[in-house]
């Protein structure tokens, strides 16, 4: 079975950003985030669409 979601720690590692920055980014609305209990899961498809989109600006709530 292929992996379908990232954790916040994985997003942090993929982007080379700090932990707090990764949580701020996940709390924004750039990509889909699912909360399961206290866990935050990011669907890989949604994350990749955001990451590789032509939109180079982050919404104000997501500025890093």
């Amino acid at each position: 079975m292929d992996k379908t979601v990232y954790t916040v720690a994985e997003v942090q590692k993929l982007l080379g950003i700090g932990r707090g920055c990764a949580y701020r980014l996940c709390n924004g609305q750039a990509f889909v985030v699912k909360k399961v209990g206290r866990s935050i899961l990011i669907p890989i498809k949604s994350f990749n669409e955001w990451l590789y989109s032509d939109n180079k600006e982050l919404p104000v709530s997501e500025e890093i």
Side-chain angles (χ1 to χ4, degrees):
M1 182 195 253
D2 292 332
K3 184 173 181 73
T4 59
V5 295
Y6 289 135
T7 63
V8 176
E10 289 171 321
V11 167
Q12 175 188 352
K13 187 174 181 179
L14 284 167
L15 297 177
I17 58 178
R19 182 176 180 218
C21 186
Y23 275 99
R24 284 193 303 276
L25 185 60
C26 289
N27 286 328
Q29 297 180 356
F31 45 83
V32 175
V33 172
K34 301 291 184 178
K35 293 186 179 181
V36 180
R38 296 185 70 192
S39 298
I40 297 174
L41 303 174
I42 302 99
I44 292 172
K45 181 179 178 183
S46 174
F47 178 79
N48 286 341
E49 287 171 358
W50 167 77
L51 184 61
Y52 298 109
S53 73
D54 290 337
N55 185 4
K56 301 299 181 199
E57 295 183 30
L58 292 175
V60 174
S61 64
E62 297 174 24
E63 286 183 7
I64 302 169

